[in-house]
Amino acid sequence: MNPTSDKTVFLLSDATGETAEKMISAALTQFRRQGTRIRRISHVRSKGQVYEALDDAAQCRALVIYTIVNRELSRLVHDECEALGLTSVDIITPLLMRCSEFFGMSPTEIPGLLHNVDEAYFRRIDAVEFTVRNDDGQETRFLNKADIVLVGVSRTSKTPLSMYLAHQGYKVANIPLVSGIEPPPELLHLEHSRVAGLVIQPERLVELRAARLKNLGQDPRRAYADFEQVETELKVARQFFRRQKWPIIDVTGKAVEETANEVLVKLKFK
């Protein structure tokens, strides 16, 4: 007979318990755990919730694992488990005590802080993945899912700016404007509050494009880096942005952080 069949593990958490459940699941992989159930009880913040959960745990003689940062409530779980004859494991208090000794300060005892960090982290990961997929007009069908859309001619810092904003948690798409090619129709249907047009001084753009051509082993005197061609491109771009009533942001000589802040301000994210 499987020694872990028909066993139940109760997980009590003062937050969501998602992180603790992953830890428990990882531990259970070391055992033959067919039939073992994990019952997660989230947001346990009162004595009444503790009593109710442990009464249920007692009925099936469950293993009780808990992660509760409030010392009084954590102690109550420990004492009640002893009184009911239940095996219990506190997976947060020993860690908090050691950290308290090491840092020379007491924990805040505020539930859910780790979950908040996790949510922010995964939001940034999603934003970065979205932004990579939607770089340089690759996936225009997803433009409506972007928080921010950056539009500009070649070499106006669209990609580095997009990635910087993505690491702040914003899903960003960027669309290049190319002479003789109509912009994607999806772009024109977006809310104005989500799109920003990027421009740069023509002299600086010529320098950037010439350097790009040299790096590729091509003639830096090609039309791509011709001053008159560049000036025309930028003029057409500005006119297009004004027609669409999008905010125009000049990236000349600005650090990416400065430009990103301007984007967020003009699109009213700040």
Side-chain angles (χ1 to χ4, degrees), residues 195-211:
V195 187
L198 305 181
V199 296
I200 190 171
Q201 292 302 308
E203 295 83 2
R204 179 56 180 154
L205 186 53
V206 168
E207 292 176 4
L208 292 171
R209 289 187 173 184

Side-chain angles (χ1 to χ4, degrees), residues 100-136:
S100 181
E101 292 171 4
F102 181 77
F103 293 115
M105 60 188 296
S106 299
T108 63
E109 297 189 15
I110 299 175
L113 291 180
L114 179 59
H115 182 64
N116 291 338
V117 171
D118 286 346
E119 282 190 336
Y121 171 77
F122 287 116
R123 186 165 58 249
R124 286 196 299 273
I125 293 298
D126 287 343
V128 170
E129 289 179 350
F130 178 91
T131 301
V132 169
R133 289 196 306 269
N134 292 274
D135 181 46
D136 205 32

Side-chain angles (χ1 to χ4, degrees), residues 124-174:
R124 286 196 299 273
I125 293 298
D126 287 343
V128 170
E129 289 179 350
F130 178 91
T131 301
V132 169
R133 289 196 306 269
N134 292 274
D135 181 46
D136 205 32
Q138 294 181 72
E139 288 282 4
T140 57
R141 57 187 173 141
F142 296 124
L143 283 181
N144 64 327
K145 298 185 181 299
D147 299 313
I148 297 170
V149 178
L150 303 176
V151 186
V153 301
S154 175
R155 310 305 290 174
T156 49
S157 300
K158 295 186 299 297
T159 295
L161 181 56
S162 295
M163 293 309 300
Y164 181 87
L165 288 165
H167 280 93
Q168 309 305 307
Y170 299 98
K171 293 180 178 179
V172 186
N174 71 74

